[in-house]
Amino acid sequence: MKRNLRHGVVELVLGNIVDQDTDAIVNAANTKLAGGGGVDGAIHRAAGPTLKELCLQFPADDHGRRCRTGNVKTTPAGNLSAKVVIHAVGPFYNERYADRAHTQLRQVHELALKAAIEHECRSVAFPAISTGAYRFPIADAAQIAIDAVCTFLDKTKGISLVRFVLYKPSQFDVFAKSLDDWKPKH
Ligand code: APR
């Protein structure tokens, strides 16, 4: 499924993030940038051990954090065909702090797109950040991710393709509905 925005296309596919031929691949990382399961594990396995070495070059704070929640760090992509991996730390969802989680999830998508432009990437693949181990409700996550990306491509030049790579058909359907329903706010 595809939707044309003023400055680029948003596409949804069912698949594996590591198989994408985009210039940039976004990782659903943690604050330590130390690898993990899910998308993070798949990306590190496919990219090879260099990726972790590159991640560990970012300075850590006293808690071992190399990237704060809601932020991104960019590295080369090791053995992946992409130019860069944009490590995006989405929020762990806690209902009591839902507003903050919504803001952080939106921000992480916007910052990933800005980072892609800074690294001269024209195409970007995103997983459904925070919807796995970080338990963000899928319908809300889809709406936020789609709105952040569509608004960006409606207003900003630089990225010609954003591809959301959904792992499960049920997630694809939720993202498809959000993309279908999306309307610009102006
Ligand atoms: N390609 C695309 N999507 C995938 C893949 C894959 N190879 N593997 C899993 N997914 C989907 C899951 O179905 C989920 O909907 O990605 C979504 C995000 O799930 P997670 O990878 O668990 O990411 P997140 O919820 O952001 O949690 C991040 O998990 O692995 C750790 O180190 C990571 O601590 C961090 C946390």
Side-chain angles (χ1 to χ4, degrees):
M1 178 180 179
K2 278 186 187 177
R3 181 152 174 190
N4 291 308
L5 285 310
R6 205 172 305 173
H7 299 296
V9 175
V10 176
E11 182 179 52
L12 308 183
V13 301
L14 195 55
N16 191 326
I17 192 86
V18 302
D19 296 333
Q20 307 307 313
D21 58 359
T22 46
D23 296 335
I25 286 183
V26 179
N27 184 17
N30 55 55
T31 55
K32 295 185 173 170
L33 301 184
V39 168
D40 203 4
I43 287 178
H44 275 272
R45 277 193 301 278
T50 324
L51 190 65
K52 186 153 177 187
E53 287 163 23
L54 291 163
C55 285
L56 297 185
Q57 283 173 16
F58 292 105
D61 69 11
D62 292 346
H63 303 281
R65 292 179 299 212
R66 296 188 166 80
C67 181
R68 301 298 291 262
T69 301
N71 285 280
V72 305
K73 296 280 185 218
T74 306
T75 63
N79 297 332
L80 292 167
S81 68
K83 259 166 57 173
V84 298
V85 174
I86 300 169
H87 304 267
V89 183
F92 181 88
Y93 189 80
N94 177 339
E95 212 176 343
R96 285 174 65 194
Y97 306 106
D99 286 352
R100 186 173 68 189
H102 283 223
T103 303
Q104 288 170 330
L105 190 63
R106 167 176 289 278
Q107 179 180 299
V108 93
H109 286 83
E110 292 166 350
L111 291 180
L113 293 171
K114 286 184 187 158
I117 291 175
E118 280 161 22
H119 289 83
E120 296 179 347
C121 294
R122 302 273 302 159
S123 55
V124 185
F126 277 90
I129 297 172
S130 287
T131 66
Y134 283 179
R135 299 186 194 165
F136 210 112
I138 185 74
D140 291 346
Q143 207 182 4
I144 292 164
I146 291 287
D147 187 50
V149 166
C150 288
T151 303
F152 192 96
L153 292 189
D154 199 42
K155 294 191 171 154
T156 313
K157 285 186 189 163
I159 304 281
S160 56
L161 171 69
V162 172
R163 180 182 297 154
F164 284 100
V165 183
L166 290 323
Y167 211 45
K168 300 177 191 161
S170 59
Q171 295 176 334
F172 181 95
D173 292 346
V174 176
F175 269 71
K177 178 162 177 16
S178 287
L179 185 57
D180 216 25
D181 289 348
W182 185 80
K183 287 188 185 61
K185 291 178 203 64
H186 50 67

